[in-house]
Amino acid sequence: MLRLDLTDLDFERSFAELVDARREADADVARDVRAILAAVRDEGDAALAAFTRRFDRHDPEETGWRIEQADCVAALEGLAPDLRAALELAHDRIVAYHSKQRPADSDQVDDAGVRLGARWRAVQAAGVYVPGGRAAYPSSVLMNAVPAKVAGVERLVMVTPTPDGEVNPLVLAAAALAGVDEVWRIGGAQAIAALAYGTERIKPVDVVTGPGNAWVAEAKRQLYGVVGIDMVAGPSEIVVVADGANDPEWIAADLLSQAEHDPTSQSILFTDDALFADAVAEAVDRQIATLATKAVARDSWDANGAIIVVERLDQAMPLVDRLAPEHLELAVDDPEPLFDRVRNAGSVFLGRHTPEAVGDYVAGPNHVLPTGRRARFASGLSVLDYMKRTSFLGLDAAALGRIGPAAVTLAEAEGLPAHARSVAIRLS
Amino acid sequence: MLRLDLTDLDFERSFAELVDARREADADVARDVRAILAAVRDEGDAALAAFTRRFDRHDPEETGWRIEQADCVAALEGLAPDLRAALELAHDRIVAYHSKQRPADSDQVDDAGVRLGARWRAVQAAGVYVPGGRAAYPSSVLMNAVPAKVAGVERLVMVTPTPDGEVNPLVLAAAALAGVDEVWRIGGAQAIAALAYGTERIKPVDVVTGPGNAWVAEAKRQLYGVVGIDMVAGPSEIVVVADGANDPEWIAADLLSQAEHDPTSQSILFTDDALFADAVAEAVDRQIATLATKAVARDSWDANGAIIVVERLDQAMPLVDRLAPEHLELAVDDPEPLFDRVRNAGSVFLGRHTPEAVGDYVAGPNHVLPTGRRARFASGLSVLDYMKRTSFLGLDAAALGRIGPAAVTLAEAEGLPAHARSVAIRLS
């Protein structure tokens, strides 16, 4: 864990290093992924089966390519009642929040008599990647699938690897709840290729979202443009801005809730109280020891954790903007003045009773958020990621008479005579 | 030019080939671009100067790195009055259309007492690439710069190569009109690298947009994630759906307005009138001969043009959706029923007096649109490309008491004990 004080002589240098530190794997997977994508594009299901035998150690021709809707419903019905209720509460609140994101169409006639508008439509088909193994989270299924369904996607396809043939009932239950239309037991870069290009069995989709390992992320990156994708995600991050009136145990728990995700995760505390900083550091060490995830949390905190002491909390805000964190907690009595000064953050958690984890599951906003300083320009996953906008315009002879001559002038100035003629020929 | 009839026995095979045909250059520029990006990242302005000497044949240390605001204003003031008026009309109409795209923030408290919202902010800085030479269009400057300024971008940077040191006064005039804050005379992949990484002279930006050649497009693709980018654009396309009541000369002019862009451009006519199809084909041949751009238009029409005859125009609409064209004209008396059936198109031009070219310049909607079937999932450039959304939530103890227990249940089911604790510790 790095400890900095704004009054340190070399603060700027140390902080700049923290901002610029790359925690993302630089594994040279690009070539492997290129080969996998080409094989699936050219050989379809045969390549998919071969990669699945090799990486997931089962043969889809025997275990089955698809997981049937009935199996997903059975998984949902097999959940313990409190777990099912929790999943349903999460689902309903995510639906409610995302329903408000549906964009409005426009259609107006302006003073020149020109009809102008924009119309939003859902993509026809979308694919959601769900990792197998440790990171197979039902909450991720909901966070990716619900916005697609709220957008109006007709065909929602889930792909998920089933290592050694083992399925994850929680993931299937979430798929049933979210209304996923097809579930395929494939994973890795080959599953992304199947969604983008289509195979004999699997029809292609228009948009692919969902978290995955370095191969999955690289496959999405390489197929960007063949399909739409969500932002490539890096390790999770939290920045907590907290005054000394907080319970250090609460803040320590919040920092650890990111640290336990992965050794590359990052948790940073800004505080204006050096004694509180000490207390949080002690609480973190104490709490880590009790966690089932202690090895991961320890590695993350030691390598990437930071506590930064400032004199006044408003001094933290320009620094937070430079970090552009995925998650930002403002743990003070009145968070509004600090929140006003935030430009770059994926999601903000206001006040002392809003731990970030409540947003991971049940609050409603999406937990798929920009990482690695990308909150400078990117947004969390939303209904818009599964829709696209068509602009339109309509002129009659009179309207074209008003604005057409200017188009002719500009087309001629740009050296595009056929552009000019297509307007001019209608003006006479 | 390919001529198809829906009643042809092998129509489906021929049409599928048309849909799948790749017109985008497959030049292996990825390695060159990787080297250029690394050089600019590591060596900054020195690399930038070296590439500029090599590719643009001038030395920015002598010709000057920047084009000053005063030079842009002088270019605007030096325009012929009709050209200046046309450019100002275009600017004002583009501003008006894009101003309506500014998204609304939300901030509400729901039944559980949870405060939920979303807040949009402009990115701090954006860069616009403007090609040099033949494709240096002032209309492109407006279409990229205006949405950024409407979004509220504080620092808008233009980069444009000046081959042999020559500047394009039309481009400078458009920059002045649009309120561009900095203009740098650099281009190619090296200019994209400078915008993304920053150099000694040029501060980095958050989003890079604008058209360019294969090197520029590949540079944007490789830097996607380091900065935000707009969709990588391919060759321009138009699909015209027209009945026999149109003047074939008008429709021929529309088809040629795309064909003249580039030999890889594509123009496709759907009609329900075979004799009209013949008349358009003849008019195209006749008009081409008169164009200053005839060599390009001829190559494009011969290689990529198509006329497809259907029995009824509504039969064209599922085929149009498969093509997902950048531009779609519906040249009929009542375009509404056909427009209702369009899912995939970048922009739609309604009726007989709405040539696509009027949208290129002065109508108001953006002319930066998805190409290469990407209208299945992508939208034209908009104010949203220069903004990002921060979600937020705020709970008090009572609200956390209502939804927190479900978060604890889900976190435990996912094997994330620190997540569970960060909520549970606040519930007691």
Side-chain angles (χ1 to χ4, degrees):
Chain A
M1 185 262 288
L2 175 74
R3 175 122 177 197
L4 299 176
D5 193 300
L6 186 55
T7 59
D8 293 343
L9 281 181
D10 60 349
F11 176 83
E12 174 51 33
R13 194 183 52 74
S14 304
F15 186 75
E17 276 177 20
L18 189 68
V19 170
D20 293 338
R22 291 194 71 242
R23 291 172 295 120
E24 296 179 28
D26 235 348
D28 184 22
V29 297
R31 191 164 42 178
D32 291 354
V33 167
R34 234 185 316 269
I36 292 171
L37 303 189
V40 174
R41 187 190 58 210
D42 297 341
E43 297 155 36
D45 287 333
L48 215 43
F51 289 124
T52 302
R53 284 192 298 268
R54 183 161 139 208
F55 296 125
D56 299 337
R57 302 167 301 282
H58 71 96
D59 187 339
E61 297 289 356
E62 289 164 21
T63 41
W65 285 89
R66 287 184 65 166
I67 297 172
E68 297 304 323
Q69 193 64 19
D71 295 332
C72 296
V73 171
L76 181 62
E77 289 172 349
L79 292 182
D82 66 328
L83 188 50
R84 178 166 180 170
L87 209 57
E88 287 179 340
L89 178 71
H91 174 262
D92 294 348
R93 293 186 58 88
I94 297 165
V95 168
Y97 185 84
H98 288 78
S99 295
K100 299 203 171 81
Q101 290 178 335
R102 268 190 299 238
D105 293 348
S106 67
D107 189 353
Q108 295 179 309
V109 177
D110 70 12
D111 293 345
V114 179
R115 180 179 169 197
L116 293 160
R119 196 173 74 178
W120 289 87
R121 286 272 192 279
V123 302
Q124 196 270 327
V128 172
Y129 190 89
V130 179
R134 189 173 69 165
Y137 297 141
S139 58
S140 287
V141 176
L142 295 183
M143 291 293 182
N144 282 276
V146 167
K149 278 293 165 188
V150 169
V153 171
E154 292 165 11
R155 176 173 162 257
L156 181 58
V157 184
M158 185 171 109
V159 292
T160 187
T162 55
D164 302 306
E166 299 256 338
V167 297
N168 180 325
L170 269 172
V171 162
L172 301 193
L177 199 54
V180 170
D181 299 294
E182 298 170 19
V183 181
W184 299 86
R185 47 204 301 163
I186 54 173
Q190 61 272 20
I192 305 296
L195 290 172
Y197 295 127
T199 68
E200 300 90 326
R201 279 189 179 77
I202 305 176
K203 282 193 292 183
V205 302
D206 304 304
V207 168
V208 177
T209 69
N213 62 19
W215 278 259
V216 169
E218 176 63 17
K220 285 166 69 178
R221 214 184 62 79
Q222 289 188 18
L223 289 167
Y224 168 64
V226 178
V227 288
I229 63 168
D230 57 343
M231 181 54 62
V232 173
S236 196
E237 310 148 356
I238 191 168
V239 168
V240 180
V241 176
D243 60 24
N246 287 280
D247 185 332
E249 298 290 340
W250 294 16
I251 301 301
D254 298 353
L255 296 170
L256 287 170
S257 73
Q258 293 306 302
E260 75 175 340
H261 268 301
D262 195 274
T264 60
S265 299
Q266 181 163 57
S267 307
I268 299 176
L269 169 66
F270 286 89
T271 183
D272 56 355
D273 184 330
L275 291 177
F276 177 75
D278 297 339
V280 172
E282 285 162 27
V284 165
D285 286 336
R286 206 162 44 236
Q287 288 188 26
I288 281 185
T290 71
L291 292 174
T293 50
K294 68 179 143 202
V296 170
R298 180 88 263 164
D299 285 354
S300 164
W301 180 246
D302 288 352
N304 305 308
I307 296 182
I308 301 172
V309 178
V310 291
E311 291 181 299
R312 302 184 320 274
L313 287 186
D314 64 339
Q315 294 173 318
M317 304 320 288
L319 304 174
V320 169
D321 253 5
R322 287 169 65 186
L323 290 164
E326 181 188 16
H327 305 107
L328 171 64
E329 285 187 13
L330 301 175
V332 295
D333 273 333
D334 178 14
E336 221 57 36
L338 296 177
F339 184 37
D340 284 345
R341 299 188 57 181
V342 174
R343 184 200 289 270
N344 302 327
S347 195
V348 179
F349 303 82
L350 301 165
R352 305 192 197 282
H353 285 84
T354 313
E356 185 278 322
V358 79
D360 282 337
Y361 294 110
V362 295
N366 211 286
H367 78 197
V368 180
L369 296 164
T371 58
R373 300 188 60 230
R374 297 189 186 92
R376 291 175 296 127
F377 54 82
S379 308
L381 192 68
S382 84
V383 165
L384 297 186
D385 290 299
Y386 302 94
M387 303 186 80
K388 70 270 184 358
R389 189 185 55 242
T390 295
S391 58
F392 60 89
L393 56 131
L395 285 75
D396 56 16
L400 191 63
R402 288 180 201 108
I403 69 169
V408 174
T409 300
L410 289 166
E412 284 172 349
E414 291 190 352
L416 295 171
H419 283 66
R421 178 188 279 157
S422 71
V423 179
I425 200 170
R426 288 168 164 95
L427 290 176
S428 47
Chain B
M1 185 263 287
L2 175 73
R3 175 123 177 197
L4 298 177
D5 192 302
L6 187 55
T7 59
D8 295 343
L9 281 179
D10 61 347
F11 176 82
E12 174 52 32
R13 193 182 52 74
S14 303
F15 186 75
E17 276 177 21
L18 189 68
V19 170
D20 292 338
R22 290 195 70 243
R23 292 172 295 121
E24 296 180 27
D26 235 349
D28 184 22
V29 298
R31 190 165 42 179
D32 291 355
V33 167
R34 235 185 317 269
I36 291 171
L37 303 189
V40 173
R41 188 192 57 211
D42 297 342
E43 298 155 36
D45 287 332
L48 215 42
F51 289 124
T52 301
R53 284 193 298 269
R54 182 162 139 207
F55 296 126
D56 299 337
R57 299 167 304 279
H58 71 95
D59 187 338
E61 297 289 357
E62 288 163 22
T63 43
W65 285 90
R66 287 184 66 164
I67 297 172
E68 296 305 323
Q69 192 67 18
D71 295 331
C72 296
V73 171
L76 180 62
E77 289 173 350
L79 291 183
D82 67 328
L83 188 51
R84 178 164 180 172
L87 208 57
E88 287 178 342
L89 178 71
H91 173 263
D92 293 349
R93 293 187 58 88
I94 297 165
V95 168
Y97 185 84
H98 288 78
S99 295
K100 299 204 171 80
Q101 289 177 337
R102 270 190 297 238
D105 293 348
S106 68
D107 189 352
Q108 295 179 309
V109 177
D110 71 10
D111 294 345
V114 179
R115 179 179 170 197
L116 292 160
R119 195 174 74 176
W120 289 88
R121 284 273 193 278
V123 302
Q124 196 269 329
V128 171
Y129 189 90
V130 179
R134 192 174 67 164
Y137 298 141
S139 58
S140 287
V141 176
L142 296 183
M143 290 293 181
N144 282 276
V146 167
K149 278 293 164 186
V150 170
V153 171
E154 291 165 11
R155 177 174 163 257
L156 180 58
V157 184
M158 185 170 109
V159 292
T160 187
T162 56
D164 301 306
E166 299 255 340
V167 298
N168 180 327
L170 271 172
V171 161
L172 300 193
L177 201 53
V180 170
D181 299 295
E182 299 171 17
V183 182
W184 298 87
R185 46 203 304 161
I186 53 172
Q190 61 274 19
I192 305 295
L195 290 173
Y197 295 127
T199 68
E200 298 90 327
R201 280 189 179 77
I202 304 176
K203 281 192 294 185
V205 303
D206 303 305
V207 168
V208 177
T209 69
N213 62 19
W215 277 260
V216 170
E218 176 64 18
K220 284 166 68 179
R221 214 184 61 77
Q222 289 188 19
L223 290 167
Y224 168 64
V226 178
V227 286
I229 63 168
D230 58 343
M231 178 57 59
V232 173
S236 195
E237 310 148 354
I238 191 169
V239 168
V240 180
V241 176
D243 59 23
N246 287 281
D247 184 332
E249 299 290 340
W250 293 17
I251 301 303
D254 298 352
L255 295 169
L256 287 170
S257 74
Q258 294 306 303
E260 76 174 340
H261 267 300
D262 196 274
T264 60
S265 300
Q266 182 162 57
S267 308
I268 298 176
L269 168 66
F270 286 89
T271 182
D272 56 356
D273 184 328
L275 291 176
F276 177 75
D278 297 340
V280 171
E282 284 161 29
V284 165
D285 286 336
R286 208 161 42 235
Q287 289 188 25
I288 282 184
T290 71
L291 292 174
T293 51
K294 67 181 145 204
V296 169
R298 179 90 262 164
D299 285 353
S300 164
W301 180 245
D302 287 352
N304 304 309
I307 295 183
I308 300 173
V309 177
V310 292
E311 293 181 300
R312 302 183 321 274
L313 287 186
D314 64 339
Q315 294 173 319
M317 304 319 289
L319 305 173
V320 170
D321 253 5
R322 287 169 65 186
L323 290 164
E326 181 187 15
H327 305 107
L328 172 63
E329 285 186 13
L330 300 176
V332 295
D333 273 334
D334 178 16
E336 219 59 35
L338 296 177
F339 184 36
D340 284 345
R341 300 188 57 182
V342 175
R343 184 199 289 268
N344 301 328
S347 194
V348 180
F349 303 82
L350 300 166
R352 304 192 197 281
H353 285 84
T354 314
E356 184 277 324
V358 80
D360 282 338
Y361 294 109
V362 294
N366 210 288
H367 78 195
V368 180
L369 297 165
T371 59
R373 301 187 61 231
R374 297 189 185 92
R376 289 177 296 127
F377 54 82
S379 308
L381 191 69
S382 83
V383 164
L384 297 186
D385 290 300
Y386 302 94
M387 303 187 80
K388 69 271 182 1
R389 189 187 52 243
T390 295
S391 59
F392 61 88
L393 56 132
L395 285 74
D396 57 17
L400 191 64
R402 288 181 201 106
I403 69 169
V408 175
T409 300
L410 289 167
E412 285 171 348
E414 291 189 351
L416 294 170
H419 282 66
R421 179 188 278 157
S422 71
V423 179
I425 200 171
R426 288 169 164 94
L427 289 175
S428 45

